[in-house]
Amino acid sequence: MSLEQSAVIFAAQETNINARSVLSVLNLLITEQSTVPFVARYRKEVTGGMDEVQIRAIHESYENYIEREKRREYILEAIKKMELLTPDLEKKIKAADTINQLEDLYAPFKAKKKSKGMLAIEAGLQPLADIILVTSKTKQQLKVEYGDKFNKLELKFTTFEEAYAGAFDIIIEMMAHDPETKEILRKDYWSDAVVKSTKRDKAETEDKDWMKYKDYFEFSQRAIELKDPKAGHRFLAMRRGMTSKTLKVEIDFPEVGGLGLLKKRFFSNGNLGCFSDLELAAKKAYLNYIHPSLDLEIKSELKKVSDETAISVFGINLKSLLLQPYLGPKSVIGVDPGVRTGCKIVIVDNTGKFLADCVIYPHEPRMQVKESAAILDAIIEQFKVEHIAIGSGTYGRETLTFIQQNVKKVKDGSVNATLISEAGASVYSASDIARAEFPDKDPTVRGSISIARRFQDPLAELVKIDPKSIGVGQYQHDVNQARLKKSLEGVVESCVNFVGVDLNTASAPLLAYVSGIGPTLAQNVIKYREQNGGFKNRTEILKVPRFSAKIFEQAAGFLRIYNGEEPLDGTFIHPERYEVLTNWARKNSTQLKDLISNKDLIMKLEKDHDFKAEVGEFTFNDIVKSLKAPSQDPRTEFKSFEYRKDISKIRDLKIGEWYPGLVTNITQFGAFVDIGIKENGLLHVSQISDTFVENAMTALKVGQEIKVQVLEIDYDRGRISLTAKKGEQGIRSNAGASSGTPRHNQSTPKQNIAPKAPELKNNAFAGLKNLKL
């Protein structure tokens, strides 16, 4: 079986997709060098309508297989060069199913310098080691029988005592590196091992924030339970505590179990003569080699699983944020709130073009309320502003209140003012992209421009910011950075191509995410557009330097040209389908431009079974959908959202009261909700609905509007516990709510109880620390 065939079978088994479909996808991705968005949208007839998630899973399985086979090949070649590759060892290496099994087989050979056991083997002590493992003779009896044979041995083994010790070095390494033993114990560890975390003695001096890990000072949970994705945040919290030298994290497994297996595999009934020495050898093999190896392996696997869960959650939240409702082409004032330094004001027109900026001082110490309101009134009038977007950071709510109470057109309802997340705006303002766009502007002004633009079109603006800085992740600095980068870039790529891009207005960062284009070619497109005044049709992009026919195939369907020469250029219909549609229009005595706007013609096309057979069912459905809704932006339009106006700080909240809010972040254990004050509240997974919710990700999404009730407030730590339940279980009276706590999902461990009330199993703030660490 060839490598390619084996890879296809492996990917099919891993993804539970039939091998023929897997082969088709891999041919498109690898042989034809197609992108995932292109394959998902324009090769549905080949893939059977697979979505991007399935296609990426196939590709990842293929890459994992190739990585494993490259490692297998390297190990075989390395041992062969050492002239130590026996037929039996080669057979075992070729039969290994996992990377761990391969590494077990390679472990004895990859030391940078020769081990004691290897030196002993070179000195000719393997026969003595073999004898010790099967003999009933004691050490003294062996010395009498074999003592004289070691006088002529080289190296340091010049006496029987040294030879005996050397033989045991061989035995220890035989036990330590036996693949079968390691594999059996690996399964036992995953079945029975416990992860324990404790506070280090010098934690107070090593980490000033050591108390935030208090819930893990005496924590233990079975490794197999921590491998559950729902528990991933716990291990990441422990690992961060370990990195900061606050926590000591160990894998606990009964020593008797490991030693028992070694005795079973290496002790024969007749070797009682050296039993005590063999027992000591087994203990050294287990404690010095096997246990540390499996300890590291389990921690690594838990880290990998936790990383994958955290990255997946991050990706889901990021997608919701990127695809949240958009305002569209309307003039906007962007406000970056400030106190002493004032509020930075910018104006962008309906295309997102920056027009002007200024600073107002409506807050202390200047308190120029009337002057600031007059400036905003004048700006609204002069630039025909329809919306005001205010960053939701420090003094955001106070700035919103000032505008609502003092700006004329906001007061009468003709101009909308709203808070929006400013996460990542400061990162953008100091970036190379921002400096290139606005080289003569202060970073605070650039940040205000970002706030205004992201209000108009979140996707177009947020692509300029490192996804890690957007504020919807958990432990983003602790997970595997390469995997995180790859995953988040895949999410952004998916969203950009899902929505489509206006070729004549898109920025270089946005174009760079279009299927097949990339950063360098995006800059070439921008330069061509600036020099030639925009594109008149899709095929004109082939005149851009280095824009090949292959790239055109991958990118064209996602690039829009509105009101251009070709009517289909404003739709998701790929240029490769223009000819067949032109032929259909000709046969039906009409033109393409009429087909787009004429409902009767579209209905006629929709009933044409011959045309459907010609292009394929999936493509046919997509064509009809595009003709019915040419722009096809999947996002909903922005709708104004208002927080309760009687609150501005945590002390204004009342237990038992209901408040409108927006979901800002989602984790495995619940969601964080912005109810209009600085602190976000925690809506635990057990409080999301009157019906059971196992995973918050399935019930909520970032940006979703939700009405929540305050259950509990911890003023000292700035924590708010919320519920969305409507039934009696979720409602607390004002009299009893401050001392009560909401129920938790049963999967929440007792060890995760918040410090404030350690005797309670159902603490309202359990899980909150996992995001705040």
Side-chain angles (χ1 to χ4, degrees):
M1 184 181 295
S2 67
L3 177 64
E4 290 77 11
Q5 290 175 320
S6 300
V8 169
I9 293 172
F10 178 83
Q13 292 172 340
E14 289 288 298
T15 59
N16 198 29
I17 298 172
N18 72 76
R20 187 182 297 276
S21 298
V22 168
L23 179 60
S24 298
V25 169
L26 291 175
N27 277 333
L28 287 166
L29 296 176
I30 298 167
T31 307
E32 297 185 20
Q33 294 293 294
S34 296
T35 68
V36 172
F38 174 79
V39 172
R41 185 177 285 273
Y42 296 114
R43 292 296 179 263
K44 292 180 181 178
E45 308 304 328
V46 179
T47 68
M50 285 188 203
D51 60 26
E52 287 192 25
V53 174
Q54 292 171 302
I55 294 168
R56 291 185 193 278
I58 289 172
H59 194 209
E60 185 174 354
S61 295
Y62 171 82
E63 289 181 330
N64 290 341
Y65 179 85
I66 296 301
E67 179 185 356
R68 187 189 74 184
E69 294 313 300
K70 284 181 178 178
R71 186 60 177 166
R72 191 194 309 276
E73 185 178 339
Y74 173 84
I75 290 172
L76 283 168
E77 188 61 28
I79 300 176
K80 190 180 294 183
K81 286 181 179 178
M82 298 176 194
E83 299 183 351
L84 297 173
L85 186 64
T86 65
D88 182 57
L89 178 58
E90 182 176 11
K91 182 179 178 181
K92 289 179 179 179
I93 292 173
K94 288 182 176 180
D97 292 326
T98 67
I99 289 285
N100 283 333
Q101 290 173 357
L102 285 171
E103 296 302 336
D104 288 345
L105 292 165
Y106 185 44
F109 306 96
K110 63 181 179 181
K112 292 183 179 179
K113 62 179 182 179
K114 293 180 179 179
S115 65
K116 290 181 179 180
M118 293 172 70
L119 291 172
I121 290 173
E122 290 182 359
L125 294 177
Q126 183 68 58
L128 179 58
D130 294 338
I131 291 171
I132 291 171
L133 285 170
V134 296
T135 186
S136 61
K137 295 178 180 178
T138 64
K139 177 181 177 181
Q140 286 302 117
Q141 290 173 326
L142 290 172
K143 182 177 182 179
V144 171
E145 186 171 348
Y146 299 106
D148 294 337
K149 295 183 179 182
F150 299 102
N151 293 332
K152 296 181 181 180
L153 286 177
E154 297 178 359
L155 302 177
K156 65 177 183 179
F157 305 110
T158 57
T159 66
F160 178 79
E161 295 295 335
E162 291 175 347
Y164 187 80
F168 268 93
D169 286 332
I170 296 173
I171 291 171
I172 290 170
E173 292 182 22
M174 286 173 62
M175 293 177 174
H177 299 307
D178 178 58
E180 287 79 8
T181 301
K182 191 82 170 287
E183 185 62 24
I184 293 171
L185 279 176
R186 178 177 288 119
K187 293 176 181 177
D188 290 345
Y189 265 62
W190 277 116
S191 174
D192 302 320
V194 172
V195 180
K196 290 186 175 181
S197 70
T198 53
K199 183 176 79 71
R200 289 183 177 274
D201 293 336
K202 298 182 179 180
E204 295 89 340
T205 58
E206 295 287 353
D207 182 7
K208 61 182 177 64
D209 296 322
W210 63 279
M211 273 299 292
K212 65 187 177 185
Y213 300 105
K214 183 176 180 180
D215 297 292
Y216 295 98
F217 285 175
E218 293 183 7
F219 178 92
S220 65
Q221 189 167 5
R222 290 175 64 207
I224 192 65
E225 293 174 357
L226 282 175
K227 199 175 181 180
D228 187 323
K230 293 192 292 292
H233 60 277
R234 295 178 206 143
F235 185 75
L236 286 175
M238 283 187 280
R239 194 174 184 280
R240 183 180 286 186
M242 186 170 60
T243 303
S244 68
K245 298 182 179 179
T246 298
L247 300 177
K248 182 179 181 181
V249 180
E250 299 173 296
I251 305 300
D252 185 51
F253 184 80
E255 183 180 314
V256 65
L259 293 178
L261 180 62
L262 287 174
K263 290 178 182 179
K264 183 178 180 181
R265 288 188 57 79
F266 289 96
F267 289 26
S268 67
N269 293 331
N271 64 7
L272 299 179
C274 299
F275 180 81
S276 60
D277 290 330
L278 283 170
E279 194 170 42
L280 181 61
K283 193 167 187 176
K284 286 183 177 179
Y286 177 72
L287 295 179
N288 297 346
Y289 294 91
I290 297 174
H291 178 73
S293 175
L294 290 173
D295 178 290
L296 178 62
E297 189 177 305
I298 285 182
K299 288 176 183 174
S300 297
E301 182 65 19
L302 289 176
K303 171 69 165 52
K304 180 182 176 183
V305 172
S306 300
D307 280 5
E308 288 174 353
T309 302
I311 290 170
S312 174
V313 169
F314 201 147
I316 293 170
N317 288 342
L318 178 61
K319 182 176 181 180
S320 296
L321 185 66
L322 293 176
L323 296 180
Q324 65 185 329
Y326 70 109
L327 180 67
K330 296 178 181 179
S331 298
V332 173
I333 291 175
V335 184
D336 184 2
V339 186
R340 183 181 57 81
T341 57
C343 298
K344 288 74 183 175
I345 307 295
V346 302
I347 307 98
V348 298
D349 68 11
N350 58 5
T351 68
K353 180 182 178 182
F354 167 70
L355 299 176
D357 68 275
C358 64
V359 181
I360 60 174
Y361 300 90
H363 308 303
E364 295 179 351
R366 299 196 187 186
M367 291 298 294
Q368 297 175 354
V369 177
K370 291 183 178 179
E371 296 90 337
S372 298
I375 291 172
L376 289 176
D377 286 334
I379 290 173
I380 290 170
E381 189 66 33
Q382 179 180 348
F383 295 100
K384 310 302 179 188
V385 171
E386 299 175 69
H387 290 267
I388 301 175
I390 305 157
S392 61
T394 304
Y395 252 68
R397 184 56 197 262
E398 290 82 354
T399 302
L400 174 63
T401 301
F402 149 71
I403 291 173
Q404 289 174 330
Q405 293 177 352
N406 297 279
V407 177
K408 293 177 183 178
K409 290 203 172 184
V410 175
K411 289 170 66 177
D412 67 22
S414 56
V415 171
N416 174 263
T418 188
L419 289 173
I420 71 164
S421 172
E422 61 181 29
S426 60
V427 174
Y428 162 77
S429 67
S431 68
D432 292 338
I433 294 173
R435 284 191 290 270
E437 285 189 292
F438 308 105
D440 59 339
K441 292 299 177 183
D442 183 86
T444 57
V445 175
R446 296 174 192 155
S448 300
I449 295 171
S450 179
I451 289 171
R453 284 178 167 178
R454 75 169 62 181
F455 186 55
Q456 288 177 318
D457 189 339
L459 178 60
E461 191 62 23
L462 290 174
V463 295
K464 301 175 183 177
I465 303 170
D466 181 349
K468 286 195 303 183
S469 304
I470 293 179
V472 291
Q474 182 187 18
Y475 296 105
Q476 54 262 46
H477 300 294
D478 299 297
V479 301
N480 183 294
Q481 295 301 293
R483 290 183 65 84
L484 176 64
K485 185 174 186 292
K486 181 179 179 181
S487 174
L488 297 186
E489 285 181 347
V491 171
V492 177
E493 178 189 46
S494 175
C495 291
V496 169
N497 291 285
F498 181 57
V499 171
V501 169
D502 186 336
L503 185 54
N504 283 321
T505 62
S507 65
L510 185 61
L511 283 169
Y513 280 104
V514 172
S515 170
I517 293 184
T520 302
L521 202 51
Q523 290 293 344
N524 291 353
V525 172
I526 298 295
K527 289 178 183 177
Y528 180 92
R529 192 171 72 192
E530 291 172 348
Q531 293 169 1
N532 296 275
F535 294 90
K536 300 175 182 62
N537 56 65
R538 278 172 169 168
T539 55
E540 187 183 350
I541 202 170
L542 287 166
K543 295 179 181 179
V544 172
R546 299 179 64 183
F547 211 103
S548 67
K550 180 63 180 179
I551 295 173
F552 179 81
E553 175 197 58
Q554 300 294 305
F558 304 105
L559 299 171
R560 309 293 182 77
I561 298 175
Y562 298 108
N563 303 314
E565 297 174 344
E566 170 55 65
L568 294 181
D569 283 352
T571 73
F572 262 121
I573 298 173
H574 197 282
E576 65 188 7
R577 300 296 179 183
Y578 286 5
E579 184 178 356
V580 69
L581 278 166
T582 301
N583 292 337
W584 187 91
R586 189 181 300 117
K587 289 178 183 177
N588 288 273
S589 303
T590 187
Q591 296 179 346
L592 281 180
K593 63 179 181 180
D594 298 323
L595 180 60
I596 287 179
S597 58
N598 191 309
K599 292 182 179 179
D600 292 333
L601 283 174
I602 295 172
M603 188 178 297
K604 186 176 182 180
L605 175 72
E606 197 170 6
K607 295 178 179 179
D608 192 327
H609 297 292
D610 291 336
F611 180 78
K612 182 177 182 179
E614 181 180 0
V615 298
E617 182 177 357
F618 290 108
T619 303
F620 174 80
N621 291 336
D622 285 344
I623 288 174
V624 171
K625 184 178 179 182
S626 291
L627 292 173
K628 286 182 175 180
S631 65
Q632 267 195 308
D633 194 318
R635 299 172 294 176
T636 57
E637 291 187 8
F638 169 78
K639 293 181 180 179
S640 180
F641 174 83
E642 288 191 4
Y643 299 103
R644 273 184 43 170
K645 295 182 179 180
D646 59 338
I647 59 170
S648 61
K649 55 186 181 297
I650 192 170
R651 292 281 177 182
D652 295 332
L653 298 179
K654 295 179 180 179
I655 293 173
E657 289 278 318
W658 289 84
Y659 299 88
L662 293 173
V663 176
T664 58
N665 204 356
I666 304 179
T667 69
Q668 290 289 334
F669 54 81
F672 290 86
V673 182
D674 177 6
I675 55 177
I677 61 174
K678 178 182 178 182
E679 298 83 2
N680 283 354
L682 173 63
L683 180 64
H684 191 268
V685 67
S686 64
Q687 295 295 330
I688 290 175
S689 172
D690 288 307
T691 58
F692 175 73
V693 175
E694 183 176 9
N695 186 343
M697 307 294 296
T698 62
L700 300 169
K701 65 179 181 179
V702 169
Q704 180 175 332
E705 296 180 15
I706 187 170
K707 195 169 183 179
V708 291
Q709 182 190 38
V710 175
L711 285 179
E712 184 176 349
I713 305 171
D714 183 339
Y715 296 107
D716 294 334
R717 294 190 290 178
R719 295 183 177 183
I720 307 159
S721 175
L722 306 170
T723 183
K725 288 183 173 182
K726 301 299 190 294
E728 292 183 1
Q729 293 288 342
I731 298 176
R732 304 293 181 92
S733 67
N734 286 341
S738 60
S739 60
T741 52
R743 293 187 304 169
H744 265 204
N745 184 293
Q746 292 180 347
S747 65
T748 304
K750 186 176 181 179
Q751 292 89 339
N752 270 4
I753 297 168
K756 183 179 178 183
E759 75 281 5
L760 297 176
K761 292 184 180 181
N762 302 323
N763 190 279
F765 302 116
L768 184 59
K769 62 181 178 303
N770 299 311
L771 198 72
K772 294 293 185 182
L773 289 177

